[in-house]
Amino acid sequence: METPSRSTDTDRDGAPLRSTLVAIGLTVFGLIAAEFATLPAFLFDPVLLEVAMEGGSLGEASMEGRTLLLILNFVGMASAGLIYLLATGRGLSWIDLRVPTKTDWKYLIAGSIGSIVFLYLVSILFMLLDVPAAESQVIEIVGENQTMILIMIFIVFFFNAPAEEFLFRNVIQKRLYAAFTRVQAILVTSVIFAAVHLPMYLIAETTIATLASLSIMFGGSVIFGYVYAKTDNLLVPTIAHAVLNAFQFAMLYIAIEYDIEQGEPAPSMLLDAVAMIPL
């Protein structure tokens, strides 16, 4: 699809507060749409409803039920972005989707490698400072089921990364360009993106652990936002995001396959990084 021209500093005519409120509203709308979209999954697997009502573990549900729940969640999130574009007259032409150029590929590779390096550098820092990281509920969903891990890699590439990057980068971040510089838009979007993932971390953990994990979410979002801002191509942050999460799941698969236990510095760092898988 044809990509609209890049905005410049002279194009900014939106009020920062209003634009930020719109961004937050879009995020809330995305979360609500995702909740409604998952309703068929609860009918498909009643255990999911029991877990939601009684606060059990999602790992108790069937693999098919968990898979359907996650897929519908991200379909709902993406639909919120589409509804906004159609309702505001921006239309599908607003979507920055094209075959990557050579420059796009450079940013895609840099974003993929950079996000993985960032994850492990921060993990090392947290380990040295003895800062704990909150465990994502994704670990609860997957458990030690290697088949589910492979399914998660599929979901990451075809539903998770496309939905999140479409809503947060191509809709929210791009909408913020009207009131902020691109750098400012990236930062505002990243704060919102990190805040959205707060429920994904076990609240029973310490506040420091939760903040540590959210700081990683924020940093990853800045990286994805940056490569999107430099390319105006949704495929670039989407693939980079998917590569990062797929790498984490691959590490989890290896950890289970070879029964890697925490205790030695290297395995501990590997598992800590895996435990912070965001979705």
Side-chain angles (χ1 to χ4, degrees):
M1 296 181 182
E2 183 177 342
T3 302
S5 59
R6 295 168 65 98
S7 62
T8 64
D9 290 346
T10 58
D11 294 329
R12 294 194 301 277
D13 56 3
L17 178 58
R18 180 176 182 276
S19 294
T20 301
L21 291 176
V22 169
I24 295 174
L26 276 168
T27 301
V28 173
F29 180 39
L31 295 176
I32 294 174
E35 289 296 319
F36 275 101
T38 59
L39 292 179
F42 292 96
L43 297 176
F44 176 82
D45 187 351
V47 175
L48 290 171
L49 182 59
E50 293 178 13
V51 170
M53 297 295 292
E54 301 175 8
S57 171
L58 285 173
E60 299 172 5
S62 67
M63 185 185 306
E64 295 79 7
R66 284 174 281 167
T67 300
L68 182 60
L69 178 71
L70 290 171
I71 289 176
L72 292 178
N73 175 77
F74 295 121
V75 169
M77 182 178 292
S79 68
L82 286 173
I83 291 172
Y84 172 76
L85 295 184
L86 295 176
T88 58
R90 289 173 170 81
L92 299 182
S93 62
W94 183 268
I95 303 175
D96 296 323
L97 199 60
R98 66 171 188 275
V99 176
T101 63
K102 289 183 178 180
T103 299
D104 291 342
W105 277 108
K106 291 178 181 178
Y107 279 105
L108 192 160
I109 293 172
S112 300
I113 296 176
S115 60
I116 292 173
V117 171
F118 167 76
L119 174 67
Y120 279 93
L121 286 178
V122 174
S123 298
I124 291 173
L125 178 62
F126 287 171
M127 182 181 67
L128 293 176
L129 297 176
D130 197 26
V131 176
E135 183 176 291
S136 169
Q137 290 182 350
V138 175
I139 300 300
E140 174 188 313
I141 296 173
V142 172
E144 294 190 357
N145 189 321
Q146 290 173 293
T147 301
M148 191 66 199
I149 294 174
L150 297 178
I151 291 174
M152 292 301 298
I153 293 176
F154 169 81
I155 291 175
V156 159
F157 271 99
F158 294 98
F159 296 97
N160 170 217
E164 288 194 342
E165 294 307 311
F166 168 62
L167 180 61
F168 286 96
R169 241 57 68 182
N170 202 161
V171 178
I172 293 177
Q173 180 174 311
K174 187 175 180 178
R175 170 65 180 80
L176 290 173
Y177 290 165
F180 298 97
T181 65
R182 291 202 170 206
V183 171
Q184 292 170 336
I186 291 170
L187 295 176
V188 173
T189 302
S190 296
V191 169
I192 297 173
F193 184 79
V196 164
H197 287 80
L198 179 61
M200 290 301 298
Y201 295 98
L202 302 179
I203 304 303
E205 298 283 350
T206 66
T207 301
I208 294 178
T210 300
L211 292 176
S213 296
L214 292 181
S215 69
I216 292 180
M217 295 299 306
F218 174 81
S221 180
V222 168
I223 292 174
F224 302 141
Y226 176 78
V227 297
Y228 171 65
K230 296 299 290 187
T231 62
D232 286 318
N233 187 351
L234 179 59
L235 280 179
V236 176
T238 297
I239 296 177
H241 184 157
V243 167
L244 170 63
N245 287 167
F247 176 81
Q248 290 174 288
F249 280 117
M251 292 299 99
L252 178 59
Y253 186 96
I254 292 173
I256 294 174
E257 177 70 19
Y258 294 100
D259 194 25
I260 298 176
E261 299 290 343
Q262 297 192 37
E264 297 298 326
S268 178
M269 183 186 72
L270 181 148
L271 293 178
D272 283 347
V274 167
M276 293 180 283
I277 295 173
L279 282 179

